Amino acid sequence: MSILLLTSVSSKEEAMWSSKLRSALPEEDIVILPELNNKAEIDIAIVANPPREVLHTLSNLKWIQSLWAGVDALLVDPTLPENVPLVRLIDPTLSAAMAEATATHVLALHRDLPRYALQQQRQEWWQHELLRSSDRTIGILGLGEMGVASARQLRALGFNVRGWSRSQKNIEGVECYAGQDNLSEFLVGLDMLVNLLPLTPETVGILSENLFSQLPKGAGLINFGRGGHQVESDVLAALDSGQLSHAVLDVFSQEPLPANNPLWRHPHITLLPHVAAPTNPGTAVDIVAGNIANYRKTGQISKQVERSVGY
Ligand code: NDP
Ligand code: OXD
């Protein structure tokens, strides 16, 4: 049997992935779409933004491995075959990168960097009160691979940390809340809110006026989850009214963000081009190769996405 590497990334990037995968799995036959002659020979697909209308034509496909952590875009593809297990990328290197990004931007807001940047533009010399990290409470939406690593990093920096998930967690040093019924209690008194949820039918649009109104006035927002989590007009309105003091946005409903989108020019937005935690090809290939080697040896497929809940 063979493995199909199916992507819509640039041909240079696809060549990089196929070269690394072939080196890590020398005994496997790995093909890309233009080389695919016999569809029935494919039993595993490795995907990164795969073009639609291909996966469902692979009659002997046993499972799909995503090269990304988030699988929301795959799950909304109506041509995704229904009963084929889907494995997403779980990589400690990715979680560490996200924890670093969270710490970077929480510290930036904690130390008032956006405010001092605006002051510099106006040549204004105003010193603002410096709080201790232990005076701040940071809330993290999502306590999965990304959320837990970020929570631990923020604890190590001395912040008070809360987290919110679907099922109840017990994480040392982190106040854990679970479920829709406890979301309001989780939000009370937060200085900053960091979104690390997957995009699902339950979480779409969660960063809305209703949620912002439950935060203290002047809270900071960091969205590293997906663009579909934020209602853009509500983010802009909350920034304009001062309900939010600043927003760090890494993800957008449309990427790249169109040039005419007002988010680009808002003085209280730090805008990033989806770079919080990019997949590291070196470590990702090791993990994917490990999943495939284990499947060939034992027939076991690694932890699968729960399609009914969307992550
Ligand atoms: P996980 O699946 O490990 O964790 C998801 C977390 O969200 C879990 O704690 C889960 O709860 C919680 N959750 C899901 N649905 C709900 C809900 N309805 N209510 C409350 N909590 C909910 O995912 P990861 O941590 O690996 O990744 C999270 C997301 O981060 C990805 O889906 C992707 O969108 C984004 N991402 C962004 C990157 C970037 O560069 N900007 C890079 C990588 C990922 P429970 O634990 O109870 O299941
Ligand atoms: C991912 C991402 O999901 O980069 O891996 O956003």
Side-chain angles (χ1 to χ4, degrees):
M1 299 301 284
S2 302
I3 297 174
L4 175 65
L5 172 63
L6 186 62
T7 83
S8 56
V9 298
S10 69
S11 49
K12 189 170 164 215
E13 207 183 325
E14 190 176 72
M16 176 277 292
W17 281 110
S18 68
S19 150
K20 283 192 187 304
L21 285 162
R22 283 171 181 148
S23 303
L25 293 162
E27 65 292 356
E28 296 283 348
D29 177 39
I30 299 174
V31 297
I32 57 171
L33 196 53
E35 300 162 353
L36 180 60
N37 294 321
N38 185 355
K39 290 184 174 179
E41 268 182 15
I42 301 296
D43 67 341
I44 302 170
I46 301 174
V47 303
N49 307 345
R52 292 183 172 189
E53 305 283 357
V54 179
L55 291 166
H56 73 114
T57 65
L58 307 173
S59 53
N60 287 312
L61 188 63
K62 296 293 182 292
W63 59 284
I64 302 166
Q65 169 74 59
S66 167
L67 291 173
W68 310 151
V71 289
D72 45 290
L74 261 174
L75 292 179
V76 296
D77 173 355
T79 69
L80 185 72
E82 261 176 34
N83 298 317
V84 177
L86 172 60
V87 177
R88 69 190 192 92
L89 182 67
I90 299 181
D91 180 352
T93 298
L94 193 65
S95 310
M98 186 60 92
E100 185 180 86
T102 301
T104 300
H105 293 280
V106 165
L107 282 172
L109 299 192
H110 165 58
R111 298 298 300 239
D112 271 334
L113 294 193
R115 195 176 188 187
Y116 287 118
L118 287 175
Q119 284 188 199
Q120 184 181 350
Q121 282 172 20
R122 302 185 202 118
Q123 293 181 252
E124 286 174 354
W125 187 277
W126 297 115
Q127 296 170 333
H128 304 289
E129 185 190 6
L130 177 61
L131 298 182
R132 295 167 301 177
S133 56
S134 58
D135 296 325
R136 307 259 199 206
T137 302
I138 318 299
I140 301 181
L141 293 168
L143 284 175
E145 303 295 329
M146 305 293 146
V148 171
S150 297
R152 293 202 169 116
Q153 183 71 75
L154 294 179
R155 277 300 299 146
L157 291 167
F159 292 100
N160 302 301
V161 182
R162 287 185 205 161
W164 183 71
S165 50
R166 213 157 56 90
S167 56
Q168 186 63 45
K169 306 280 181 237
N170 184 1
I171 304 165
E172 203 188 334
V174 179
E175 241 182 274
C176 296
Y177 296 75
Q180 202 61 40
D181 291 350
N182 294 307
L183 180 58
S184 296
E185 201 189 331
F186 159 81
L187 296 169
V188 171
L190 292 182
D191 295 292
M192 289 173 223
L193 181 68
V194 182
N195 177 41
L196 291 171
L197 287 166
L199 186 64
T200 73
E202 276 190 26
T203 65
V204 64
I206 188 170
L207 302 177
S208 66
E209 196 271 335
N210 173 45
L211 180 144
F212 301 146
S213 69
Q214 297 177 64
L215 292 169
K217 194 166 174 77
L221 171 70
I222 299 176
N223 185 13
F224 289 157
R226 284 288 184 261
H229 287 129
Q230 70 216 1
V231 180
E232 289 184 5
S233 53
D234 288 4
V235 173
L236 287 166
L239 289 167
D240 288 341
S241 71
Q243 182 58 26
L244 290 176
S245 54
H246 197 85
V248 178
L249 307 177
D250 183 57
V251 283
F252 305 91
S253 294
Q254 193 183 343
E255 296 180 5
L257 187 67
N260 63 357
N261 190 303
L263 295 175
W264 277 113
R265 285 172 298 280
H266 200 285
H268 298 306
I269 290 180
T270 299
L271 201 145
L272 301 164
H274 201 139
V275 288
T279 293
N280 176 305
T283 56
V285 161
D286 286 347
I287 284 165
V288 169
N291 289 349
I292 290 170
N294 187 49
Y295 172 72
R296 292 286 186 234
K297 199 164 145 202
T298 67
Q300 297 291 312
I301 299 171
S302 304
K303 186 175 175 224
Q304 294 162 34
V305 169
E306 250 189 83
R307 295 228 201 163
S308 58
V309 286
Y311 67 100

